[in-house]
DNA sequence: TTTATTTATTGAACACCGATCAATTTTGTG
DNA sequence: CACAAAATTGATCGGTGTTCAATAAATAAA
């Protein structure tokens, strides 16, 4: 039986999120089980509820961890890119999703109760990712159009997301699309052309 | 107790799908229950399994119904549009999703077991929607580029999907995007510009 | 140290879920 | 009517999220 001196509250939280995230990566959102997480870290199911309050908050914490990893991955990939930065950014989006498909998919499988807003820290993590992409995009935009960066970032994130989602869920395979990343990158370039000198 | 002469097998299937779809619209994928469907149509849970074989096949049948309704809606909306057909198409995509958010979301919440392909008739329904969009898009493409229509259709469906998904799941609200439809339409136009005479 | 109080942890109990399948009922047939 | 075939049932199983009185452990007070 776990004694409370074995772990501080913060350590326990970390254990649960860590094992929860591992579980999520392994079995995916549909087969995820809070009981199983409790069993694996040697605590009872009741303790998980004491720490997180509800199943939904546990999932949010695990998804938050995924966002942390995603941001770290994006920044790492963008830090040491030599050539085409836009390609690198889209490629990083796709590659993270492919390498962590269950955890990545869980970000969008989970939905809050109608009308409820995500916790503050979750929103912060998501905004951090969007900001990283916006910085990247701003570099591709002529100075006179830099005010378009925020809206364009949101729109292009949605664009890339759509392609990535269809690539992972089988829709593209069903429709015979075999180069989703290239297609997404084309759409990003098309959008940027709107604000750049025309193709010659 | 329901007697089999009361309904043919096909009628029973129809009852289950109809009530199942109604349930899906009301409570969404996460709270959907096959038992509840059985109860509401006055049959036992066992009968549902005899008819559909598994929970997954029931969901596929219900999602197939959603695809039917979606296609019908798209065609109806495109049939009597006077002005901007592109706007009408994107608007129809968004509006159906908004008007049937639970059923529409369920299309993407459900995932087949790893490596399994969707049933033939489900693939056919999906292809029918894609084809309808492709016909629309082909009309916007210069004849010399009509060979690009299939790939461009897949890519723009993903693009619009991404925007619609973020609009429904709260991501856009979180990021301060208040005109997702307009953004999606911009991206569609940007992509078409690649194959048209440049803006003046 | 011993006692009292606060905090952490437990796990049985509850109400559900998808899934199974032997038993039953209903239907069709000879 | 009797019999075979088909349809329907629902108790049963193993699992889920959730609750919360009871217990154990840690801390504070005496």
């Amino acid at each position: 039986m776990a004694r409370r001196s074995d772990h501080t509250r913060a350590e326990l939280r970390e254990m649960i999120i860590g094992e929860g995230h591992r579980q999520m990566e392994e079995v995916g959102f549909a087969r995820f089980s809070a009981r199983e997480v409790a069993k694996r870290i040697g605590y009872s199911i009741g303790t998980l509820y004491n720490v997180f309050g509800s199943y939904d908050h546990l999932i949010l914490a695990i998804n938050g961890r995924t966002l942390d990893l995603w941001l770290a991955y994006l920044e790492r990939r963008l830090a040491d890119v030599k050539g085409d930065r836009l390609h690198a950014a889209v490629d990083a989006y796709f590659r993270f999703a492919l390498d962590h498909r269950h955890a990545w998919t869980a970000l969008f499988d989970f939905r809050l109760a109608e009308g409820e807003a995500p916790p503050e820290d979750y929103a912060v993590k998501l905004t951090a990712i969007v900001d990283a992409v916006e910085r990247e995009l701003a570099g591709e935009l002529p100075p006179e159009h830099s005010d378009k960066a925020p809206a364009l970032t949101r729109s292009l994130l949605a664009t890339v997301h759509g392609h990535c989602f269809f690539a992972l869920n089988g829709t593209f395979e069903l429709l015979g699309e075999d180069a989703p990343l290239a297609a997404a990158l084309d759409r990003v370039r098309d959008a940027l052309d709107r604000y750049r000198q025309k193709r010659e």
Side-chain angles (χ1 to χ4, degrees), chain A residues 175-193:
Chain A
L175 300 178
E177 177 59 67
D178 56 1
L181 195 155
L185 191 54
D186 280 347
R187 297 294 77 75
V188 172
R189 296 228 153 89
D190 290 346
L192 284 170
D193 281 347

Side-chain angles (χ1 to χ4, degrees), chain A residues 119-135:
Chain A
E120 178 82 13
D121 71 314
Y122 187 90
V124 168
K125 289 170 196 286
L126 196 102
T127 305
I129 292 178
V130 176
D131 287 349
V133 174
E134 183 177 326
R135 280 194 298 276

Side-chain angles (χ1 to χ4, degrees), chain A residues 116-160:
Chain A
E116 244 174 289
E120 178 82 13
D121 71 314
Y122 187 90
V124 168
K125 289 170 196 286
L126 196 102
T127 305
I129 292 178
V130 176
D131 287 349
V133 174
E134 183 177 326
R135 280 194 298 276
E136 207 53 45
L137 219 52
E140 304 279 338
L141 230 40
E144 68 268 27
H145 283 124
S146 60
D147 61 315
K148 310 295 196 311
L152 193 61
T153 300
R154 296 191 292 262
S155 181
L156 289 183
L157 272 174
T159 299
V160 174

Side-chain angles (χ1 to χ4, degrees), chain A residues 157-178:
Chain A
L157 272 174
T159 299
V160 174
H161 175 83
H163 285 75
C164 196
F165 192 86
F166 278 2
L168 283 192
N169 85 341
T171 300
F172 270 155
E173 190 184 353
L174 192 78
L175 300 178
E177 177 59 67
D178 56 1

Side-chain angles (χ1 to χ4, degrees), chain A residues 31-167:
Chain A
R31 298 188 197 285
F32 179 85
S33 155
R35 291 179 112 101
E36 181 65 22
V37 172
K39 192 184 298 179
R40 295 215 184 184
I41 62 170
Y43 275 82
S44 79
I45 176 66
T47 297
L48 259 71
Y49 272 82
N50 290 338
V51 174
F52 287 97
S54 74
Y55 185 79
D56 285 12
H57 284 90
L58 171 57
I59 299 292
L60 279 167
I62 290 171
N63 281 352
R65 169 62 47 89
T66 303
L67 291 181
D68 288 341
L69 296 172
W70 198 6
L71 175 62
Y73 182 80
L74 285 174
E75 289 183 330
R76 178 152 32 91
R77 288 288 308 274
L78 286 170
D80 46 42
V81 52
K82 301 236 178 304
D84 187 342
R85 296 190 67 84
L86 231 40
H87 177 278
V90 177
D91 185 67
Y93 195 109
F94 268 72
R95 197 169 294 275
F96 182 85
L98 283 166
D99 288 351
H100 309 269
R101 46 187 317 152
H102 282 149
W104 184 82
T105 303
L107 293 174
F108 309 102
D109 283 333
F110 174 73
R111 235 142 352 243
L112 289 151
E114 210 91 17
E116 244 174 289
E120 178 82 13
D121 71 314
Y122 187 90
V124 168
K125 289 170 196 286
L126 196 102
T127 305
I129 292 178
V130 176
D131 287 349
V133 174
E134 183 177 326
R135 280 194 298 276
E136 207 53 45
L137 219 52
E140 304 279 338
L141 230 40
E144 68 268 27
H145 283 124
S146 60
D147 61 315
K148 310 295 196 311
L152 193 61
T153 300
R154 296 191 292 262
S155 181
L156 289 183
L157 272 174
T159 299
V160 174
H161 175 83
H163 285 75
C164 196
F165 192 86
F166 278 2

